[in-house]
Amino acid sequence: MIKTEICDLLGIKYPIIQGGMAWVSDANLAAGVSEAGGLGIIAAGNAPAEWVEKEIIKAKQLTDKVFGVNIMLLSPYVDDVVDVVVKHRVGVITTGAGSPGKYMDKFKSIGAKVIPVVASVALAKRMEDTGADAVIAEGTESGGHIGELTTMALVPQVVDAVDIPVIAAGGIADGRGFVAALALGARGVQMGTRFVASKECTIAESYKEAIVKARDRDTVVTGRATGHPVRILKNKLAREFLKLENSGATKEELEKFGEGRLRLAAREGDVKNGSVMAGQIAGLINDIKPVKDIIEDIVKEAETIIKNLSQLGGV
């Protein structure tokens, strides 16, 4: 069995983390992943603290395994969400869109492990200095909000720059990606798009089917002009957004145009006019199955690959 220090750090069977995706990562998905031996994550996104608390309570009813909460630090409700996470003594906290430094003492007071998502070496080093227990180095291949560096380039540079464990994210959906991440020096992986296409994920089936039908070149990056680029599947919204963006629309106009579009796709099932966030790896995903099968298939494939690679060296 593949085991790294991430397993011991987080108290999980496999070093596989489910990404925190707004409007997608709820208690059902998080509990399912944790029950299957990985680390499930509830995504707070821009949701109010009451919703986050309800999901934490539900997750505890569904599993006795450790799970985490992803806190989007630019959320207008971030202070209240932090208080809820501390109140319920959530074991693992991942963060995005900023530094968790101001909340670190609160997190550490309950013994939580804090793992920020980073897209550069500089940010990874900064997070280590703030007391992070590990970092998630996320490449531009991923879905949703992205940085510029690819996973292949980013991960080994972050590994060399920090002393804390690095978790690789972006473009990983099977055993091959898992092993590649380990070869780059990562001690675990985070996957988002692969877990969207799962039985436990409660979003609209049309969203899942859009991922399954996607091919290798079916994602596009929107919002570069706003400074907050987002990778989504090509659809009517993407075409209209890019047209508006290329016409010189202001940041405010673009943000207003995109408002509520993720919920429209994920919860209402409108995959034409909604924002179907997905990574480039969507073209590799061909089915919707239980998270237990997803995780076990990945681990089994990875173990076979490692065995075969060892034979290349004459071992």
Side-chain angles (χ1 to χ4, degrees):
M1 186 176 72
I2 297 173
K3 186 176 182 181
T4 72
E5 57 262 47
I6 286 295
C7 298
D8 295 328
L9 178 69
L10 305 182
I12 55 180
K13 184 177 181 180
Y14 305 117
I16 297 175
I17 296 173
Q18 164 241 315
M21 301 166 283
W23 291 110
V24 175
S25 304
D26 61 8
N28 290 284
L29 181 57
V33 172
S34 290
E35 277 291 299
L39 179 74
I41 300 286
I42 296 169
N46 279 319
E50 292 78 12
W51 181 88
V52 178
E53 183 167 37
K54 176 175 68 71
E55 294 301 307
I56 291 172
I57 292 171
K58 184 176 181 180
K60 287 185 175 182
Q61 294 170 343
L62 294 172
T63 182
D64 60 359
K65 305 290 195 303
V66 64
F67 64 88
V69 171
N70 174 263
I71 299 177
M72 205 278 284
L73 295 167
L74 289 179
S75 166
Y77 306 107
V78 61
D79 289 340
D80 292 336
V81 169
V82 167
D83 288 342
V84 163
V85 165
V86 172
K87 172 185 174 182
H88 290 278
R89 306 185 72 84
V90 174
V92 182
I93 297 158
T94 65
T95 65
S99 170
K102 66 180 289 188
Y103 305 109
M104 197 63 77
D105 287 344
K106 285 188 175 182
F107 294 150
K108 295 299 183 180
S109 72
I110 60 170
K113 305 303 180 185
V114 183
I115 309 177
V117 177
V118 302
S120 70
V121 168
L123 187 55
K125 293 170 71 173
R126 181 182 167 198
M127 293 302 100
E128 182 177 34
D129 290 342
T130 65
D133 296 279
V135 290
I136 298 166
E138 184 176 73
T140 193
E141 301 95 320
S142 61
H145 294 277
I146 58 171
E148 291 294 327
L149 292 173
T150 65
T151 303
M152 188 78 169
L154 176 65
V155 172
Q157 293 186 69
V158 172
V159 168
D160 287 352
V162 299
D163 294 323
I164 54 179
V166 176
I167 297 159
I172 302 168
D174 63 8
R176 292 172 294 181
F178 186 14
V179 173
L182 296 177
L184 293 174
R187 309 314 294 160
V189 296
Q190 175 178 280
M191 302 186 301
T193 308
R194 173 64 270 196
F195 284 126
V196 173
S198 70
K199 295 290 186 181
E200 288 83 352
C201 186
T202 61
I203 63 169
E205 289 299 313
S206 55
Y207 194 121
K208 300 181 190 181
E209 291 293 343
I211 290 175
V212 171
K213 293 176 182 177
R215 296 169 296 182
D216 59 337
R217 292 170 59 85
D218 279 350
T219 68
V220 65
V221 178
T222 59
R224 291 195 187 278
T226 69
H228 301 287
V230 176
R231 185 178 299 284
I232 64 175
L233 292 183
K234 295 177 181 177
N235 61 2
K236 181 181 178 182
L237 168 69
R239 292 191 297 272
E240 292 178 347
F241 196 102
L242 288 172
K243 182 178 180 181
L244 188 64
E245 192 171 1
N246 293 332
S247 72
T250 65
K251 178 180 178 180
E252 290 72 23
E253 290 172 332
L254 292 170
E255 289 178 344
K256 184 177 181 180
F257 185 75
E259 188 176 344
R261 299 289 189 148
L262 177 57
R263 184 185 187 281
L264 183 63
R267 292 299 164 182
E268 297 181 31
D270 187 345
V271 295
K272 293 183 178 180
N273 299 294
S275 178
V276 186
M277 294 186 183
Q280 288 181 326
I281 204 66
L284 195 70
I285 298 170
N286 302 309
D287 54 18
I288 300 168
K289 57 188 179 182
V291 293
K292 184 175 187 293
D293 293 346
I294 290 173
I295 291 176
E296 290 183 353
D297 288 350
I298 287 173
V299 172
K300 183 178 179 180
E301 182 184 17
E303 289 172 343
T304 299
I305 291 170
I306 291 172
K307 181 179 178 181
N308 292 339
L309 287 173
S310 69
Q311 293 173 353
L312 291 177
V315 178

Coordinates of all heavy atoms in Angstrom, one line a residue, residues 167-219:
I167 N 1.7 18.6 -1.6 CA 0.7 17.8 -2.2 C 0.5 18.4 -3.6 O 0.3 19.6 -3.8 CB -0.6 17.9 -1.4 CG1 -0.4 17.3 0.0 CG2 -1.8 17.2 -2.1 CD1 -1.4 17.7 1.0
A168 N 0.4 17.5 -4.6 CA 0.3 18.0 -6.0 C -1.1 18.0 -6.4 O -1.9 17.1 -6.1 CB 1.1 17.1 -6.9
A169 N -1.5 19.1 -7.2 CA -2.9 19.2 -7.7 C -2.8 19.8 -9.1 O -1.9 20.5 -9.5 CB -3.7 20.1 -6.8
G170 N -3.8 19.4 -9.9 CA -3.9 19.9 -11.3 C -3.5 18.8 -12.3 O -2.4 18.4 -12.4
G171 N -4.5 18.3 -13.0 CA -4.2 17.3 -14.1 C -4.0 15.9 -13.6 O -3.3 15.1 -14.2
I172 N -4.6 15.6 -12.4 CA -4.4 14.2 -11.9 C -5.8 13.6 -11.7 O -6.7 14.1 -11.1 CB -3.7 14.3 -10.5 CG1 -2.4 15.0 -10.6 CG2 -3.6 12.9 -9.9 CD1 -1.7 15.4 -9.3
A173 N -5.9 12.4 -12.3 CA -7.2 11.7 -12.2 C -7.1 10.2 -12.2 O -8.1 9.5 -12.2 CB -8.1 12.1 -13.4
D174 N -5.8 9.7 -12.3 CA -5.7 8.2 -12.3 C -4.4 7.8 -11.7 O -3.6 8.7 -11.2 CB -5.8 7.6 -13.7 CG -4.7 8.2 -14.7 OD1 -3.8 8.8 -14.2 OD2 -4.8 7.9 -15.9
G175 N -4.0 6.5 -11.7 CA -2.8 6.1 -11.1 C -1.5 6.6 -11.7 O -0.5 6.8 -11.0
R176 N -1.6 6.9 -13.0 CA -0.4 7.4 -13.7 C -0.1 8.8 -13.1 O 1.1 9.2 -12.9 CB -0.7 7.5 -15.2 CG -0.8 6.1 -15.8 CD -1.2 6.2 -17.3 NE -2.6 6.7 -17.4 CZ -3.2 6.8 -18.5 NH1 -2.6 6.5 -19.7 NH2 -4.5 7.2 -18.6
G177 N -1.1 9.7 -13.0 CA -0.9 11.0 -12.4 C -0.4 11.0 -11.0 O 0.4 11.8 -10.6
F178 N -1.0 10.0 -10.2 CA -0.6 9.8 -8.9 C 0.9 9.5 -8.7 O 1.7 10.1 -8.0 CB -1.4 8.7 -8.3 CG -1.3 8.5 -6.8 CD1 -0.7 9.4 -6.0 CD2 -1.8 7.3 -6.2 CE1 -0.5 9.2 -4.6 CE2 -1.7 7.1 -4.8 CZ -1.0 8.0 -4.0
V179 N 1.4 8.5 -9.5 CA 2.8 8.2 -9.5 C 3.7 9.3 -10.0 O 4.7 9.5 -9.5 CB 3.0 6.9 -10.3 CG1 4.5 6.5 -10.5 CG2 2.3 5.7 -9.7
A180 N 3.2 10.0 -11.0 CA 4.0 11.1 -11.6 C 4.2 12.2 -10.5 O 5.3 12.7 -10.3 CB 3.3 11.7 -12.8
A181 N 3.1 12.4 -9.7 CA 3.3 13.4 -8.7 C 4.3 13.0 -7.6 O 5.1 13.8 -7.1 CB 1.9 13.7 -8.0
L182 N 4.2 11.7 -7.2 CA 5.2 11.2 -6.3 C 6.6 11.3 -6.8 O 7.5 11.6 -6.1 CB 4.8 9.7 -5.9 CG 3.5 9.5 -5.2 CD1 3.3 8.0 -5.0 CD2 3.4 10.2 -3.9
A183 N 6.8 11.0 -8.1 CA 8.1 11.1 -8.7 C 8.6 12.5 -8.7 O 9.8 12.7 -8.6 CB 8.0 10.6 -10.2
L184 N 7.7 13.5 -8.7 CA 8.1 14.9 -8.7 C 8.5 15.4 -7.3 O 8.9 16.5 -7.1 CB 7.0 15.8 -9.3 CG 6.7 15.6 -10.7 CD1 5.5 16.5 -11.1 CD2 7.9 16.0 -11.6
G185 N 8.2 14.5 -6.3 CA 8.6 14.8 -4.9 C 7.4 15.1 -4.0 O 7.5 15.4 -2.8
A186 N 6.2 15.1 -4.6 CA 5.0 15.3 -3.8 C 4.7 14.1 -2.9 O 5.1 13.0 -3.2 CB 3.8 15.5 -4.7
R187 N 4.1 14.4 -1.8 CA 3.8 13.3 -0.8 C 2.4 12.9 -0.8 O 1.9 12.1 0.0 CB 4.3 13.7 0.6 CG 5.7 14.3 0.7 CD 6.7 13.4 -0.1 NE 6.8 12.1 0.5 CZ 7.3 11.0 -0.1 NH1 7.6 11.1 -1.4 NH2 7.4 9.9 0.5
G188 N 1.6 13.5 -1.7 CA 0.2 13.2 -1.9 C -0.4 14.0 -3.1 O 0.3 14.8 -3.7
V189 N -1.6 13.7 -3.4 CA -2.3 14.4 -4.5 C -3.6 14.9 -4.1 O -4.3 14.4 -3.1 CB -2.5 13.5 -5.7 CG1 -1.1 13.0 -6.3 CG2 -3.3 12.3 -5.4
Q190 N -4.0 16.0 -4.7 CA -5.4 16.5 -4.5 C -6.1 16.4 -5.9 O -5.5 16.8 -6.9 CB -5.4 17.9 -4.0 CG -6.8 18.5 -4.0 CD -6.9 19.9 -3.4 OE1 -6.8 20.1 -2.2 NE2 -6.9 20.9 -4.3
M191 N -7.3 15.9 -5.9 CA -8.1 15.8 -7.2 C -9.4 16.5 -7.0 O -10.1 16.3 -6.0 CB -8.3 14.4 -7.6 CG -7.0 13.6 -7.8 SD -7.3 11.9 -8.4 CE -8.3 11.2 -7.1
G192 N -9.8 17.2 -8.0 CA -11.2 17.8 -8.0 C -12.1 17.3 -9.0 O -13.1 16.6 -8.7
T193 N -11.7 17.4 -10.3 CA -12.6 17.0 -11.4 C -12.9 15.6 -11.4 O -14.1 15.2 -11.6 CB -11.9 17.4 -12.7 OG1 -11.5 18.8 -12.7 CG2 -12.8 17.2 -13.9
R194 N -12.0 14.7 -11.0 CA -12.3 13.3 -11.0 C -13.4 13.0 -9.9 O -14.2 12.1 -10.2 CB -11.0 12.5 -10.6 CG -11.2 11.0 -10.3 CD -11.6 10.2 -11.6 NE -13.1 10.1 -11.6 CZ -13.7 9.2 -12.4 NH1 -13.1 8.4 -13.1 NH2 -15.0 9.2 -12.4
F195 N -13.4 13.7 -8.8 CA -14.4 13.4 -7.8 C -15.7 14.1 -8.1 O -16.8 13.7 -7.5 CB -13.9 13.9 -6.4 CG -12.9 13.0 -5.8 CD1 -11.6 13.4 -5.4 CD2 -13.2 11.6 -5.6 CE1 -10.7 12.6 -4.8 CE2 -12.3 10.7 -5.1 CZ -11.0 11.2 -4.6
V196 N -15.7 15.1 -9.0 CA -17.0 15.6 -9.4 C -17.8 14.5 -10.1 O -19.0 14.4 -9.9 CB -16.8 16.8 -10.4 CG1 -18.1 17.3 -11.0 CG2 -16.1 18.0 -9.7
A197 N -17.1 13.7 -11.0 CA -17.8 12.6 -11.7 C -17.9 11.4 -10.8 O -17.3 10.4 -11.1 CB -17.0 12.4 -13.0
S198 N -18.5 11.6 -9.7 CA -18.7 10.4 -8.7 C -20.2 10.3 -8.3 O -20.9 11.3 -8.4 CB -17.8 10.6 -7.5 OG -18.3 11.7 -6.7
K199 N -20.5 9.2 -7.8 CA -21.9 8.9 -7.4 C -22.3 9.8 -6.2 O -23.4 10.3 -6.1 CB -22.1 7.4 -7.0 CG -21.9 6.5 -8.2 CD -23.1 6.6 -9.1 CE -23.0 5.5 -10.2 NZ -24.1 5.6 -11.2
E200 N -21.3 10.0 -5.3 CA -21.6 10.7 -4.1 C -21.7 12.2 -4.3 O -22.3 12.9 -3.5 CB -20.5 10.5 -3.0 CG -20.5 9.1 -2.4 CD -19.8 8.0 -3.3 OE1 -19.5 8.3 -4.4 OE2 -19.7 6.9 -2.8
C201 N -21.2 12.7 -5.4 CA -21.3 14.2 -5.7 C -22.8 14.5 -6.0 O -23.4 13.9 -6.8 CB -20.4 14.5 -6.9 SG -20.3 16.3 -7.2
T202 N -23.3 15.5 -5.3 CA -24.7 15.8 -5.4 C -25.1 16.9 -6.4 O -26.2 17.3 -6.4 CB -25.2 16.3 -4.0 OG1 -24.5 17.5 -3.6 CG2 -25.0 15.2 -2.9
I203 N -24.1 17.3 -7.2 CA -24.5 18.3 -8.2 C -25.3 17.7 -9.3 O -25.6 16.5 -9.4 CB -23.2 19.0 -8.8 CG1 -22.4 17.9 -9.6 CG2 -22.4 19.7 -7.8 CD1 -21.3 18.5 -10.4
A204 N -25.8 18.6 -10.2 CA -26.7 18.2 -11.3 C -26.0 17.1 -12.2 O -24.8 17.3 -12.5 CB -27.0 19.4 -12.2
E205 N -26.7 16.1 -12.6 CA -26.1 15.1 -13.4 C -25.6 15.6 -14.8 O -24.7 15.1 -15.3 CB -27.2 14.0 -13.7 CG -27.5 13.1 -12.5 CD -26.3 12.4 -11.9 OE1 -25.5 11.8 -12.8 OE2 -26.0 12.4 -10.7
S206 N -26.3 16.7 -15.3 CA -25.8 17.3 -16.5 C -24.4 17.8 -16.4 O -23.6 17.8 -17.4 CB -26.8 18.4 -17.0 OG -26.9 19.3 -15.9
Y207 N -24.0 18.3 -15.3 CA -22.7 18.8 -15.0 C -21.7 17.6 -15.1 O -20.6 17.7 -15.8 CB -22.6 19.5 -13.6 CG -21.4 20.3 -13.3 CD1 -21.5 21.7 -13.0 CD2 -20.1 19.8 -13.3 CE1 -20.4 22.5 -12.7 CE2 -19.0 20.6 -13.0 CZ -19.2 21.9 -12.7 OH -18.1 22.7 -12.4
K208 N -22.0 16.5 -14.4 CA -21.1 15.4 -14.5 C -21.0 14.8 -15.9 O -19.9 14.5 -16.3 CB -21.7 14.3 -13.6 CG -21.9 14.6 -12.1 CD -22.4 13.4 -11.3 CE -22.8 13.8 -9.9 NZ -23.3 12.6 -9.1
E209 N -22.1 14.8 -16.6 CA -22.1 14.2 -18.0 C -21.3 15.1 -18.9 O -20.6 14.6 -19.8 CB -23.5 14.1 -18.5 CG -24.4 13.0 -17.8 CD -23.9 11.6 -18.1 OE1 -23.1 11.5 -19.1 OE2 -24.3 10.7 -17.4
A210 N -21.3 16.4 -18.6 CA -20.5 17.3 -19.4 C -19.0 17.0 -19.3 O -18.2 17.1 -20.2 CB -20.7 18.8 -19.0
I211 N -18.6 16.6 -18.1 CA -17.2 16.2 -17.8 C -16.9 14.9 -18.5 O -15.8 14.8 -19.2 CB -16.9 16.1 -16.3 CG1 -16.9 17.5 -15.7 CG2 -15.6 15.4 -16.0 CD1 -16.8 17.5 -14.2
V212 N -17.8 14.0 -18.4 CA -17.5 12.7 -19.1 C -17.4 12.8 -20.6 O -16.6 12.1 -21.2 CB -18.7 11.7 -18.7 CG1 -18.6 10.4 -19.5 CG2 -18.6 11.4 -17.2
K213 N -18.2 13.7 -21.2 CA -18.2 13.9 -22.6 C -17.0 14.8 -23.1 O -16.8 14.8 -24.3 CB -19.5 14.6 -23.0 CG -20.7 13.7 -22.9 CD -22.0 14.4 -23.2 CE -23.3 13.6 -23.0 NZ -24.5 14.4 -23.3
A214 N -16.4 15.5 -22.2 CA -15.3 16.4 -22.6 C -14.1 15.7 -23.2 O -13.8 14.6 -22.8 CB -14.9 17.2 -21.3
R215 N -13.5 16.4 -24.1 CA -12.3 15.9 -24.8 C -11.1 16.7 -24.3 O -11.2 17.6 -23.5 CB -12.4 15.9 -26.3 CG -13.5 15.0 -26.8 CD -13.8 15.3 -28.3 NE -14.4 16.6 -28.4 CZ -14.8 17.1 -29.6 NH1 -14.7 16.4 -30.7 NH2 -15.3 18.4 -29.7
D216 N -9.9 16.4 -24.8 CA -8.7 17.0 -24.3 C -8.6 18.5 -24.4 O -8.0 19.2 -23.6 CB -7.5 16.3 -25.0 CG -7.5 16.5 -26.5 OD1 -8.5 16.7 -27.1 OD2 -6.4 16.4 -27.1
R217 N -9.3 19.1 -25.5 CA -9.2 20.5 -25.7 C -10.5 21.2 -25.4 O -10.7 22.3 -25.9 CB -8.7 20.8 -27.1 CG -7.3 20.3 -27.5 CD -7.0 20.4 -29.0 NE -7.2 21.7 -29.5 CZ -6.3 22.6 -29.5 NH1 -5.1 22.4 -29.0 NH2 -6.5 23.8 -30.0
D218 N -11.3 20.7 -24.5 CA -12.6 21.2 -24.3 C -12.7 22.2 -23.1 O -13.8 22.6 -22.7 CB -13.6 20.1 -24.1 CG -14.1 19.6 -25.5 OD1 -13.8 20.2 -26.5 OD2 -14.8 18.5 -25.5
T219 N -11.5 22.6 -22.5 CA -11.6 23.6 -21.5 C -11.0 24.9 -22.0 O -10.2 24.9 -23.0 CB -10.8 23.2 -20.2 OG1 -9.4 23.2 -20.5 CG2 -11.3 21.9 -19.7

